[in-house]
Amino acid sequence: MNEPRSLLDVAPVMPVISVRDASDASVAVPIARALTAAGLPLVQVAIDSPGSLQAIELIATEAPEVIV
């Protein structure tokens, strides 16, 4: 398999997860896993709240199969 040149080579759609506050950050992990199980291996986390960076860290740590 060739290396992808773009993230869009991996999947034509990239869902966006929005985290309202830090208490919602842990909810991003099962959402990211569900999206990956449905065939969308990429997720984007909107950097629009204090919990966003924590959500990215949690997804990267707890769901390494997801490209975030």
Coordinates of all heavy atoms in Angstrom, one line a residue:
M1 N 0.8 -1.2 0.0 CA 0.0 0.0 0.0 C 0.9 1.2 0.0 O 1.9 1.3 0.8 CB -0.9 0.0 1.2 CG -1.9 1.1 1.3 SD -3.1 0.8 2.5 CE -3.1 2.3 3.4
N2 N 0.6 2.2 -0.8 CA 1.3 3.4 -0.9 C 1.0 4.3 0.3 O -0.1 4.3 0.8 CB 0.9 4.2 -2.2 CG 1.4 3.5 -3.4 OD1 2.4 2.7 -3.3 ND2 0.8 3.7 -4.5
E3 N 1.9 5.1 0.7 CA 1.7 6.1 1.7 C 0.7 7.1 1.2 O 0.8 7.6 0.1 CB 3.0 6.8 2.1 CG 3.9 6.0 2.9 CD 3.4 5.7 4.3 OE1 2.9 6.6 5.0 OE2 3.5 4.5 4.7
P4 N -0.3 7.5 2.1 CA -1.2 8.6 1.6 C -0.5 9.9 1.5 O 0.4 10.3 2.2 CB -2.2 8.7 2.8 CG -1.6 8.0 3.9 CD -0.6 7.1 3.4
R5 N -0.9 10.7 0.4 CA -0.3 12.0 0.2 C -1.0 13.1 1.0 O -0.6 14.1 1.2 CB -0.3 12.3 -1.3 CG 0.6 11.4 -2.1 CD 0.6 11.7 -3.5 NE -0.1 12.9 -3.9 CZ -0.1 13.3 -5.1 NH1 0.5 12.7 -6.1 NH2 -0.8 14.4 -5.5
S6 N -2.3 12.7 1.4 CA -3.1 13.7 2.0 C -4.0 12.9 3.0 O -4.3 11.7 2.8 CB -4.0 14.4 1.0 OG -5.1 15.0 1.6
L7 N -4.5 13.6 4.0 CA -5.5 12.9 4.9 C -6.7 12.5 4.1 O -7.4 11.5 4.5 CB -5.9 13.8 6.0 CG -4.8 14.1 7.1 CD1 -5.2 15.1 8.1 CD2 -4.4 12.8 7.7
L8 N -7.1 13.2 3.1 CA -8.2 12.8 2.3 C -8.0 11.6 1.5 O -8.9 10.9 1.0 CB -8.6 14.0 1.3 CG -9.2 15.2 2.1 CD1 -9.5 16.3 1.1 CD2 -10.4 14.9 2.9
D9 N -6.7 11.1 1.3 CA -6.5 9.8 0.7 C -6.8 8.7 1.7 O -7.1 7.6 1.3 CB -5.0 9.7 0.4 CG -4.6 10.6 -0.8 OD1 -5.5 11.0 -1.6 OD2 -3.4 10.9 -1.0
V10 N -6.8 9.0 3.0 CA -7.2 8.0 4.0 C -8.7 7.9 4.1 O -9.2 6.8 4.2 CB -6.6 8.4 5.4 CG1 -7.0 7.4 6.5 CG2 -5.1 8.5 5.3
A11 N -9.4 9.0 4.1 CA -10.9 9.0 4.1 C -11.3 10.3 3.5 O -10.8 11.3 3.8 CB -11.4 8.9 5.6
P12 N -12.4 10.2 2.7 CA -12.9 11.4 2.0 C -13.7 12.4 2.9 O -14.0 13.5 2.6 CB -13.8 10.9 0.9 CG -14.2 9.6 1.4 CD -13.1 9.0 2.3
V13 N -14.0 11.9 4.1 CA -14.8 12.7 5.1 C -14.0 12.7 6.4 O -13.5 11.7 6.9 CB -16.2 12.1 5.3 CG1 -17.0 12.8 6.3 CG2 -16.9 12.0 4.0
M14 N -14.0 13.9 7.0 CA -13.4 14.0 8.3 C -14.4 14.7 9.3 O -14.6 15.9 9.3 CB -12.1 14.9 8.3 CG -11.3 14.8 9.6 SD -9.8 15.8 9.7 CE -9.1 15.6 8.1
P15 N -15.0 13.8 10.2 CA -15.9 14.4 11.1 C -15.2 15.3 12.1 O -14.1 15.1 12.5 CB -16.5 13.2 11.8 CG -15.9 12.0 11.3 CD -14.9 12.4 10.3
V16 N -16.0 16.3 12.6 CA -15.4 17.3 13.6 C -16.2 17.0 14.9 O -17.4 17.0 15.0 CB -15.7 18.7 13.2 CG1 -15.2 19.7 14.2 CG2 -15.0 19.0 11.8
I17 N -15.4 16.8 16.0 CA -15.9 16.7 17.3 C -15.7 18.0 18.0 O -14.6 18.6 18.1 CB -15.2 15.5 18.1 CG1 -15.4 14.2 17.4 CG2 -15.6 15.5 19.5 CD1 -14.5 13.1 18.0
S18 N -16.8 18.5 18.6 CA -16.7 19.7 19.4 C -16.9 19.4 20.9 O -17.8 18.7 21.2 CB -17.8 20.7 18.9 OG -17.7 21.9 19.7
V19 N -16.0 19.9 21.7 CA -16.1 19.6 23.1 C -16.4 20.9 23.8 O -15.7 21.9 23.7 CB -14.7 19.1 23.6 CG1 -14.7 18.8 25.1 CG2 -14.3 17.8 22.9
R20 N -17.5 20.9 24.6 CA -18.0 22.2 25.2 C -17.1 22.6 26.4 O -16.8 23.8 26.5 CB -19.4 22.0 25.6 CG -20.3 21.9 24.5 CD -21.7 21.9 24.9 NE -22.6 21.7 23.8 CZ -23.8 22.1 23.7 NH1 -24.4 22.6 24.8 NH2 -24.5 21.9 22.7
D21 N -16.7 21.7 27.2 CA -15.9 22.0 28.4 C -15.1 20.8 28.8 O -15.2 19.7 28.2 CB -16.7 22.6 29.6 CG -17.8 21.6 30.0 OD1 -17.5 20.4 30.2 OD2 -18.9 22.1 30.3
A22 N -14.2 21.0 29.7 CA -13.2 19.9 30.1 C -14.0 18.7 30.6 O -13.5 17.6 30.4 CB -12.3 20.4 31.1
S23 N -15.1 18.8 31.2 CA -15.8 17.6 31.7 C -16.4 16.7 30.5 O -16.6 15.6 30.7 CB -17.0 18.0 32.6 OG -18.0 18.7 31.9
D24 N -16.5 17.3 29.3 CA -16.9 16.6 28.1 C -15.8 15.9 27.4 O -16.0 15.1 26.5 CB -17.7 17.5 27.2 CG -19.0 17.9 27.7 OD1 -19.6 17.3 28.6 OD2 -19.5 18.9 27.2
A25 N -14.5 16.2 27.8 CA -13.4 15.7 27.0 C -13.4 14.2 26.9 O -13.0 13.6 25.9 CB -12.1 16.2 27.6
S26 N -13.7 13.5 28.0 CA -13.6 12.0 28.0 C -14.7 11.4 27.1 O -14.5 10.3 26.6 CB -13.8 11.5 29.4 OG -15.1 11.8 29.9
V27 N -15.7 12.1 26.8 CA -16.8 11.6 25.9 C -16.3 11.5 24.4 O -16.8 10.7 23.6 CB -18.1 12.5 26.0 CG1 -19.1 12.0 25.0 CG2 -18.6 12.5 27.4
A28 N -15.2 12.3 24.1 CA -14.7 12.3 22.8 C -14.1 10.9 22.4 O -14.1 10.6 21.2 CB -13.7 13.4 22.6
V29 N -13.6 10.2 23.3 CA -12.9 8.9 23.0 C -13.9 7.9 22.5 O -13.7 7.4 21.4 CB -12.2 8.3 24.3 CG1 -11.7 7.0 24.0 CG2 -11.1 9.3 24.7
P30 N -15.1 7.6 23.1 CA -16.0 6.7 22.5 C -16.6 7.2 21.2 O -16.9 6.4 20.3 CB -17.1 6.4 23.6 CG -16.9 7.5 24.6 CD -15.5 8.0 24.5
I31 N -16.8 8.5 21.1 CA -17.3 9.0 19.8 C -16.3 8.8 18.7 O -16.6 8.3 17.6 CB -17.6 10.5 20.0 CG1 -18.8 10.8 20.9 CG2 -17.8 11.2 18.6 CD1 -19.0 12.2 21.3
A32 N -15.0 9.0 19.0 CA -14.0 8.8 18.0 C -13.9 7.3 17.6 O -13.7 7.0 16.4 CB -12.6 9.3 18.5
R33 N -14.0 6.4 18.6 CA -13.9 5.0 18.3 C -15.1 4.6 17.5 O -15.0 3.7 16.6 CB -13.9 4.2 19.6 CG -12.6 4.2 20.3 CD -12.6 3.3 21.5 NE -11.2 3.2 22.0 CZ -11.0 3.2 23.3 NH1 -12.0 3.3 24.2 NH2 -9.8 3.1 23.8
A34 N -16.3 5.1 17.8 CA -17.5 4.7 17.0 C -17.4 5.2 15.6 O -17.7 4.5 14.6 CB -18.7 5.3 17.7
L35 N -16.8 6.4 15.4 CA -16.7 6.9 14.0 C -15.7 6.0 13.2 O -15.9 5.7 12.1 CB -16.2 8.3 14.0 CG -17.3 9.4 14.5 CD1 -16.6 10.7 14.8 CD2 -18.3 9.5 13.4
T36 N -14.6 5.6 13.9 CA -13.6 4.8 13.2 C -14.2 3.4 12.9 O -14.0 2.9 11.8 CB -12.4 4.6 14.1 OG1 -11.8 5.9 14.3 CG2 -11.3 3.7 13.5
A37 N -15.0 2.9 13.9 CA -15.6 1.6 13.6 C -16.6 1.7 12.4 O -16.9 0.7 11.7 CB -16.4 1.1 14.9
A38 N -17.2 2.8 12.2 CA -18.1 3.0 11.1 C -17.4 3.3 9.8 O -18.1 3.5 8.8 CB -19.0 4.2 11.4
G39 N -16.1 3.3 9.8 CA -15.3 3.4 8.6 C -14.7 4.8 8.3 O -14.2 5.0 7.3
L40 N -14.8 5.6 9.3 CA -14.1 7.0 9.2 C -13.0 7.0 10.2 O -13.1 7.4 11.4 CB -15.2 8.1 9.5 CG -16.3 8.1 8.6 CD1 -17.4 9.1 9.1 CD2 -15.9 8.5 7.2
P41 N -11.8 6.7 9.7 CA -10.6 6.6 10.6 C -10.0 7.9 11.1 O -9.2 7.9 11.9 CB -9.6 5.8 9.8 CG -9.9 6.2 8.4 CD -11.4 6.3 8.4
L42 N -10.5 9.0 10.5 CA -10.0 10.4 10.9 C -11.1 11.1 11.7 O -12.3 11.1 11.4 CB -9.8 11.2 9.7 CG -8.8 10.7 8.6 CD1 -8.9 11.5 7.4 CD2 -7.4 10.6 9.1
V43 N -10.7 11.8 12.7 CA -11.6 12.8 13.4 C -10.8 14.1 13.6 O -9.6 14.1 13.8 CB -12.1 12.3 14.7 CG1 -13.0 11.1 14.6 CG2 -11.0 12.0 15.7
Q44 N -11.5 15.1 13.6 CA -10.9 16.4 13.9 C -11.6 17.0 15.1 O -12.8 16.9 15.3 CB -11.1 17.4 12.7 CG -10.6 18.8 12.9 CD -10.8 19.6 11.6 OE1 -11.3 19.2 10.6 NE2 -10.4 20.9 11.8
V45 N -10.8 17.5 16.1 CA -11.4 18.1 17.3 C -11.3 19.6 17.1 O -10.2 20.2 16.9 CB -10.7 17.7 18.5 CG1 -11.2 18.4 19.8 CG2 -10.8 16.1 18.7
A46 N -12.4 20.3 17.2 CA -12.4 21.8 17.0 C -11.8 22.4 18.3 O -12.1 22.0 19.4 CB -13.9 22.2 16.9
I47 N -10.9 23.3 18.1 CA -10.2 23.9 19.2 C -11.0 25.2 19.5 O -10.7 26.3 19.1 CB -8.7 24.3 18.8 CG1 -8.0 23.2 18.3 CG2 -8.0 25.0 20.0 CD1 -7.7 22.1 19.3
D48 N -12.1 24.9 20.2 CA -13.0 26.0 20.5 C -13.5 26.1 21.9 O -14.4 26.8 22.3 CB -14.3 26.0 19.5 CG -15.1 24.7 19.7 OD1 -14.6 23.8 20.4 OD2 -16.1 24.6 19.0
S49 N -12.8 25.3 22.8 CA -13.2 25.3 24.2 C -12.0 24.8 25.0 O -11.0 24.3 24.4 CB -14.4 24.4 24.4 OG -14.0 23.1 24.4
P50 N -12.0 25.1 26.3 CA -10.9 24.6 27.1 C -10.7 23.1 27.1 O -9.6 22.7 27.4 CB -11.3 25.1 28.5 CG -12.3 26.2 28.3 CD -13.0 25.8 27.0
G51 N -11.7 22.3 26.9 CA -11.5 20.9 26.9 C -11.0 20.3 25.6 O -10.8 19.1 25.5
S52 N -10.9 21.1 24.6 CA -10.5 20.6 23.3 C -9.1 19.9 23.3 O -9.0 18.8 22.7 CB -10.5 21.7 22.2 OG -11.7 22.3 22.1
L53 N -8.1 20.5 23.8 CA -6.8 19.9 23.8 C -6.7 18.6 24.7 O -6.1 17.7 24.3 CB -5.7 20.9 24.3 CG -5.6 22.1 23.4 CD1 -4.6 23.1 24.0 CD2 -5.1 21.7 22.0
Q54 N -7.5 18.6 25.8 CA -7.6 17.4 26.6 C -8.2 16.3 25.8 O -7.8 15.1 25.9 CB -8.4 17.7 27.9 CG -8.4 16.5 28.8 CD -9.2 16.8 30.1 OE1 -9.8 17.9 30.2 NE2 -9.3 15.8 30.9
A55 N -9.3 16.6 25.0 CA -9.9 15.6 24.2 C -9.0 15.0 23.2 O -8.9 13.8 23.0 CB -11.2 16.2 23.5
I56 N -8.2 15.8 22.6 CA -7.2 15.4 21.6 C -6.2 14.4 22.3 O -5.9 13.3 21.8 CB -6.4 16.5 20.9 CG1 -7.4 17.3 20.0 CG2 -5.2 16.0 20.1 CD1 -6.8 18.6 19.5
E57 N -5.7 14.8 23.4 CA -4.8 14.0 24.2 C -5.4 12.6 24.6 O -4.8 11.6 24.4 CB -4.3 14.7 25.4 CG -3.3 13.9 26.2 CD -2.8 14.7 27.5 OE1 -3.2 15.9 27.7 OE2 -2.0 14.1 28.2
L58 N -6.6 12.7 25.0 CA -7.3 11.4 25.4 C -7.5 10.5 24.2 O -7.3 9.3 24.3 CB -8.6 11.7 26.1 CG -8.6 12.3 27.5 CD1 -9.9 12.8 28.0 CD2 -8.0 11.3 28.5
I59 N -7.9 11.0 23.1 CA -8.2 10.2 21.9 C -6.8 9.6 21.5 O -6.8 8.4 21.2 CB -8.8 11.0 20.8 CG1 -10.2 11.5 21.1 CG2 -8.8 10.2 19.5 CD1 -10.8 12.5 20.2
A60 N -5.8 10.4 21.4 CA -4.5 9.9 21.0 C -3.9 8.8 21.9 O -3.3 7.9 21.4 CB -3.5 11.1 20.9
T61 N -4.2 9.0 23.2 CA -3.7 8.0 24.2 C -4.6 6.7 24.3 O -4.0 5.6 24.3 CB -3.6 8.7 25.6 OG1 -2.8 9.8 25.5 CG2 -3.1 7.7 26.6
E62 N -5.9 6.9 24.3 CA -6.8 5.8 24.6 C -7.3 5.1 23.4 O -7.8 4.0 23.4 CB -7.9 6.3 25.5 CG -7.5 6.8 26.8 CD -8.6 7.3 27.7 OE1 -9.8 6.9 27.4 OE2 -8.4 8.0 28.6
A63 N -7.2 5.8 22.2 CA -7.7 5.2 21.0 C -6.7 5.4 19.8 O -6.9 6.2 18.9 CB -9.1 5.8 20.6
P64 N -5.5 4.7 19.9 CA -4.5 5.0 19.0 C -4.8 4.6 17.5 O -4.1 5.0 16.6 CB -3.3 4.1 19.5 CG -3.9 3.1 20.4 CD -5.2 3.8 20.9
E65 N -5.9 3.8 17.4 CA -6.3 3.5 16.0 C -7.0 4.6 15.3 O -7.2 4.6 14.1 CB -7.3 2.3 16.1 CG -8.7 2.6 16.7 CD -8.8 2.6 18.2 OE1 -7.7 2.5 18.9 OE2 -9.9 2.6 18.7
V66 N -7.3 5.7 16.0 CA -8.0 6.8 15.4 C -6.9 7.9 15.0 O -6.0 8.2 15.8 CB -9.0 7.5 16.4 CG1 -9.6 8.7 15.8 CG2 -10.0 6.5 16.9
I67 N -7.0 8.4 13.8 CA -6.1 9.5 13.4 C -6.8 10.8 13.8 O -7.9 11.1 13.4 CB -5.9 9.5 11.9 CG1 -5.3 8.2 11.5 CG2 -5.0 10.7 11.5 CD1 -5.3 8.0 10.0
V68 N -6.2 11.5 14.7 CA -6.8 12.8 15.3 C -5.9 14.0 15.0 O -4.7 13.9 14.9 CB -7.1 12.6 16.8 CG1 -5.8 12.5 17.6 CG2 -7.8 13.8 17.3

